Amino acid sequence: MLVALGPLLFALLGLLNRDRTAAVAEPLNDASRTLSSAFAHLNVTVGGRLNSAAPFEQACFSILEGQHVNASATACADLQANYHNPLYRVANFSAYMAPHWETCQSSPATDGCLLDSNNASNPLAFEGADCRLGNVPPYYIIVQSAADVQAALAFSNSTGVRLSVKNKGHDFLGRSSGRGTLALWTTELRNISHSAQFQPEGCSANITYDAITTGAGVLAQDVYQFADRVNRTVIGGYHQTVGFSGGYFLGGGHSILSPVYGLAVDRVVEVKVVTPDGVFRTANECQNPDLFFALRGGGGPAFGVVIEATHRTEPQLAIQAAAFEFTPTGTDLADWYSLTLDNALAWANEGWGGHITGPTLIYVNPLLNTTAARASMQPAIDFVSARNGTSVVEELPSWFAFFEKYVLIAEAAIGYEGTQGTRLLPSRLFTNASALAELHTLVTDVLPFANPYIIAGTPWLYEPAPGAAGATAVTPAWRDAVWHLSLSTRFAYNDTLADREGRYRAVSAHIQGFRDLAPESGSYFNEGDVYEPDHEVSYWGAENYAKLLAVKRK
Ligand SMILES: Cc1cc2nc3c(=O)[nH]c(=O)nc-3n(C[C@H](O)[C@H](O)[C@H](O)COP(=O)(O)OP(=O)(O)OC[C@H]3O[C@@H](n4cnc5c(N)ncnc54)[C@H](O)[C@@H]3O)c2cc1C
Ligand SMILES: *[C@@H]1O[C@H](CO)[C@@H](O)[C@H](O)[C@H]1NC(C)=O
Ligand SMILES: *[C@@H]1O[C@H](CO)[C@@H](O)[C@H](O)[C@H]1NC(C)=O
Ligand SMILES: *[C@@H]1O[C@H](CO)[C@@H](O)[C@H](O)[C@H]1NC(C)=O
Ligand SMILES: *[C@@H]1O[C@H](CO)[C@@H](O)[C@H](O)[C@H]1NC(C)=O
Ligand SMILES: *[C@@H]1O[C@H](CO)[C@@H](O)[C@H](O)[C@H]1NC(C)=O
Ligand SMILES: *[C@@H]1O[C@H](CO)[C@@H](O)[C@H](O)[C@H]1NC(C)=O
Ligand SMILES: *[C@@H]1O[C@H](CO)[C@@H](O)[C@H](O)[C@H]1NC(C)=O
Ligand SMILES: *[C@@H]1O[C@H](CO)[C@@H](O)[C@H](O)[C@H]1NC(C)=O
Ligand SMILES: *[C@@H]1O[C@H](CO)[C@@H](O)[C@H](O)[C@H]1NC(C)=O
Ligand SMILES: *[C@@H]1O[C@H](CO)[C@@H](O)[C@H](O)[C@H]1NC(C)=O
Ligand SMILES: *[C@@H]1O[C@H](CO)[C@@H](O)[C@H](O)[C@H]1NC(C)=O
Ligand SMILES: *[C@@H]1O[C@H](CO)[C@@H](O)[C@H](O)[C@H]1NC(C)=O
């Protein structure tokens, strides 16, 4: 209804952020007065939890939105020391794990507020630079209940202000920020509970699961710890601060235990969600099954704002861990990738999952004993030993023990600017000798550009349940994939628009080789290429996409 809302929001933000008495004194036109009073009303409705955002990095800058301010040396030093600390970043609304999504990337140096992510102490990034809010939503509500989401939807409906949803801020494609939007920050939805006999609402008494229910804002690490305390295992991602009941499961959710236990979308049994019509709904196999299907891989907030989700658990498991590392020389790296390619299918058949990146491999297996695990990994042990590297195959008593010992030191670094592209590599590339040879060549050829990040985290041995209980929206390509392969590159803080576009395009071009090798396959919504061609088919498959579209229209 109101015109030019983006600029208006910023004008309003300017007023609110400046001196409040000055704001009152300044003449407001009718449109901004209406919007201003709508915001004030919204703030009362949500119990005063409407906040205005300030740039995360502002402490280091002495110009903020064109105005002179005093930088704070102590706060800046604290920020610099924690620039790559996920627990520090996750606590701040304006901070994103991939910080370039805090900026408008067509002019990041002038419409953002970042430090040099390769050296946060580099004064050239902040001295004399203007710190701007960029792509960070100027207003956000700290969501405590479904009622807050309903209030925001009604506000959006009557004012035309767009909404965005942020949880833990891990999105690789900037889907949780948004210039000029009102954000719903679900980070404080931290309830967590366990039931050995969870009965989805509306299901008959014979359908029960051992399950854990978590609010959207619970960190992966906290879910793992909680599950461990109740002597159960939760299957989840390879990072401590990913939002377990947020973007992670909504987009698919892979784990290094997925080869045996499925993707996150295979394991969720109930979702409580506010749909765009403002209704708080329960979706499971027995009620709203079409919505339940859409929430299992449809992605992000497309079908509503999740308040909580319930996930099946497994018993406490002993896990075999295999960890290898060496210093490559000559053709070692290409030979190492070749060895892992040659063993990929056998390892998948034995229940292994894990990550390979350059000369390191960390795999887990919940099915084998240590003797069998070591025998299975012998080719890798021999290869690494011949290069004086380190190799460990050992049993850990639980997923949480594995997580604390291995994941915390190996998880992907955050606070860097960059991009990636991915492809799901189907089994035929591994069973057909000439196709495997082509894959070898492609991997070797791509090494000068980037070491492929291999995620053996596809649901290779997992059989989905029949009917509504097992219906998910992710591309069926997941089910036949042996590897999920990723290529990435980083930007420098002062890269120009042309530099950035060049890097986005270079990643896209290099992943194209893998698309060409398996055009029938797909890729992962949460880890896609910004230029993903034919993304509807790539992320969901043509059939699922048509069903998703019907649910979206409904
Ligand atoms: C360092 C790192 C490690 C990762 N590791 C893994 C991994 O091991 N396995 C894996 O599968 N993925 C992994 N990912 C990808 C991750 O799953 C996605 O980025 C995921 O979307 C993060 O969800 P979030 O809620 O934490 O992020 P956010 O950026 O807050 O949100 C992501 C998306 O979900 C939407 N959203 C968030 N909360 C809600 C909600 N309550 N209701 C509705 N929509 C919501 C947002 O609008 C946005 O579209 C990783 C990402 C990073 C950066
Ligand atoms: C919302 O109300 C609270 C409590 O009255 C106040 O502290 C806060 O500044 C208000 N938010 C905005 C954006 O004005
Ligand atoms: C900055 O600090 C100086 C000296 O301490 C002070 O006079 C000035 O008012 C401050 N400026 C702002 C914008 O806070
Ligand atoms: C985040 O950082 C900004 C800028 O330093 C600060 O104003 C804000 O209070 C911090 N906390 C949250 C929860 O956003
Ligand atoms: C980072 O920048 C600071 C300040 O310019 C410099 O002293 C330091 O050597 C740099 N560190 C690295 C690792 O380049
Ligand atoms: C979280 O749990 C508390 C205590 O049981 C409850 O009062 C509250 O409503 C729950 N919050 C949500 C969002 O479900
Ligand atoms: C949006 O506004 C229209 C017209 O007033 C109304 O019919 C509809 O129910 C509203 N939707 C929401 C979610 O408030
Ligand atoms: C549960 O019971 C209903 C009848 O009450 C029956 O139709 C259904 O097949 C049963 N389901 C399972 C999984 O046993
Ligand atoms: C934990 O679970 C395992 C596997 O189900 C079981 O063997 C063990 O007895 C349980 N421990 C406790 C303390 O309940
Ligand atoms: C390990 O597993 C193998 C294969 O299942 C079995 O033959 C062997 O006896 C087991 N070894 C131990 C020590 O349990
Ligand atoms: C490995 O270490 C041994 C003993 O120190 C040494 O003789 C050998 O040359 C080393 N091999 C490689 C490939 O570095
Ligand atoms: C094996 O792969 C090659 C090259 O990709 C292809 O031409 C051939 O048709 C495949 N063979 C079978 C049996 O699928
Ligand atoms: C970017 O910053 C680096 C380090 O601060 C500097 O060496 C380089 O010249 C800068 N590049 C451009 C294009 O300004």
Side-chain angles (χ1 to χ4, degrees):
M1 60 169 274
L2 299 174
V3 285
L5 278 161
L8 196 55
L9 263 184
F10 274 88
L12 203 60
L13 180 71
L15 296 180
L16 288 172
N17 274 357
R18 258 185 269 149
D19 182 16
R20 267 162 226 275
T21 47
V24 172
E26 249 178 71
L28 292 172
N29 64 30
D30 284 351
S32 66
R33 197 178 290 116
T34 304
L35 189 55
S36 174
S37 84
F39 266 112
H41 182 255
L42 174 66
N43 196 7
V44 172
T45 311
V46 299
R49 278 173 284 101
L50 177 72
N51 295 270
S52 55
F56 175 57
E57 300 82 351
Q58 74 173 37
C60 296
F61 291 74
S62 48
I63 307 172
L64 177 64
E65 309 287 351
Q67 310 275 323
H68 181 78
V69 292
N70 289 332
S72 158
T74 48
C76 177
D78 194 44
L79 178 72
Q80 288 169 326
N82 286 288
Y83 206 63
H84 303 289
N85 175 350
L87 292 172
Y88 188 87
R89 214 167 251 279
V90 82
N92 195 291
F93 172 75
S94 307
Y96 288 78
M97 298 298 163
H100 45 300
W101 295 112
E102 295 167 22
T103 75
C104 294
Q105 289 174 69
S106 56
S107 47
T110 52
D111 207 353
C113 185
L114 298 184
L115 303 184
D116 174 353
S117 61
N118 295 315
N119 181 358
S121 304
N122 180 0
L124 296 175
F126 52 85
E127 277 180 9
D130 188 6
C131 168
R132 301 178 69 98
L133 197 55
N135 197 38
V136 174
Y139 289 98
Y140 62 98
I141 296 170
I142 300 176
V143 173
Q144 273 181 2
S145 68
D148 293 338
V149 178
Q150 290 164 328
L153 284 163
F155 170 84
S156 175
N157 197 25
S158 63
T159 61
V161 171
R162 288 164 55 233
L163 302 179
S164 58
V165 183
K166 186 192 184 209
N167 188 33
K168 298 304 177 186
H170 269 256
D171 204 283
F172 280 116
L173 290 115
R175 300 180 183 111
S176 50
S177 49
R179 183 183 180 86
T181 61
L182 165 64
L184 293 163
W185 196 21
T186 58
T187 193
E188 291 301 335
L189 295 169
R190 304 283 184 107
N191 283 0
I192 184 161
S193 61
H194 169 239
S195 168
Q197 290 187 302
F198 178 82
Q199 191 184 332
E201 280 177 31
C203 288
S204 58
N206 58 0
I207 298 179
T208 65
Y209 301 98
D210 190 298
I212 285 177
T213 301
T214 95
V218 180
L219 302 174
Q221 180 171 14
D222 292 345
V223 188
Y224 302 151
Q225 182 168 41
F226 176 83
D228 196 63
R229 286 194 183 137
V230 298
N231 200 28
R232 302 292 298 179
T233 305
V234 153
I235 312 304
Y238 207 73
H239 198 280
Q240 60 193 127
T241 56
V242 162
F244 184 69
S245 284
Y248 169 74
F249 93 91
L250 287 163
H254 62 70
S255 166
I256 60 174
L257 289 171
S258 292
V260 176
Y261 300 107
L263 298 170
V265 287
D266 293 321
R267 307 191 54 85
V268 65
V269 292
E270 182 164 284
V271 186
K272 296 204 170 171
V273 57
V274 181
T275 45
D277 55 2
V279 180
F280 185 38
R281 296 175 198 272
T282 298
N284 59 41
E285 66 197 88
C286 305
Q287 56 175 309
N288 296 310
D290 54 351
L291 177 61
F292 188 45
F293 160 84
L295 291 163
R296 296 165 95 182
F303 298 90
V305 180
V306 172
I307 303 299
E308 65 176 40
T310 304
H311 311 258
R312 283 189 292 128
T313 69
E314 296 296 328
Q316 192 71 274
L317 308 160
I319 286 178
Q320 307 304 326
F324 305 128
E325 191 164 12
F326 67 96
T327 306
T329 56
T331 63
D332 281 351
L333 208 51
D335 295 344
W336 167 246
Y337 274 105
S338 285
L339 180 143
T340 61
L341 275 166
D342 289 338
N343 286 278
L345 189 60
W347 286 340
N349 287 334
E350 289 171 325
W352 288 102
H355 294 178
I356 304 165
T357 168
T360 61
L361 174 153
I362 300 178
Y363 264 46
V364 293
N365 195 312
L367 303 181
L368 301 177
N369 61 34
T370 312
T371 314
R374 194 166 284 130
S376 162
M377 282 289 157
Q378 199 60 49
I381 295 171
D382 293 345
F383 184 97
V384 169
S385 303
R387 286 151 187 86
N388 287 348
T390 55
S391 61
V392 178
V393 177
E394 64 167 343
E395 180 170 305
L396 277 300
S398 65
W399 165 253
F400 191 57
F402 169 79
F403 186 82
E404 288 201 299
K405 181 166 181 182
Y406 286 98
V407 182
L408 291 180
I409 54 169
E411 65 186 11
I414 58 87
Y416 289 94
E417 302 184 53
T419 185
Q420 65 183 344
T422 63
R423 196 69 182 167
L424 293 163
L425 303 183
S427 61
R428 69 170 182 82
L429 298 182
F430 298 85
T431 53
N432 171 333
S434 59
L436 183 59
E438 289 175 30
L439 183 55
H440 274 266
T441 305
L442 191 56
V443 167
T444 303
D445 289 351
V446 91
L447 291 178
F449 175 72
N451 289 342
Y453 191 68
I454 307 301
I455 296 172
T458 60
W460 178 248
L461 298 178
Y462 182 80
E463 279 294 328
T472 63
V474 294
T475 168
W478 275 105
R479 310 281 164 202
D480 180 48
V482 174
W483 278 2
H484 165 51
L485 178 145
S486 159
L487 295 176
S488 62
T489 190
R490 283 182 180 168
F491 311 141
Y493 76 98
N494 57 354
D495 273 350
T496 61
L497 172 60
D499 294 332
R500 281 164 199 265
E501 186 177 351
R503 289 183 194 275
Y504 278 114
R505 293 214 182 272
V507 161
S508 195
H510 281 93
I511 209 71
Q512 188 60 39
F514 296 91
R515 288 190 196 106
D516 292 343
L517 211 55
E520 80 285 15
S521 191
S523 75
Y524 180 24
F525 174 85
N526 279 343
E527 296 171 358
D529 168 4
V530 297
Y531 293 120
E532 187 71 39
D534 203 6
H535 67 277
E536 298 91 336
V537 174
S538 187
Y539 294 148
W540 300 288
E543 204 176 311
N544 282 344
Y545 184 73
K547 283 163 76 179
L548 286 168
L549 203 54
V551 178
K552 182 76 181 174
R553 292 205 168 112
K554 181 176 168 184

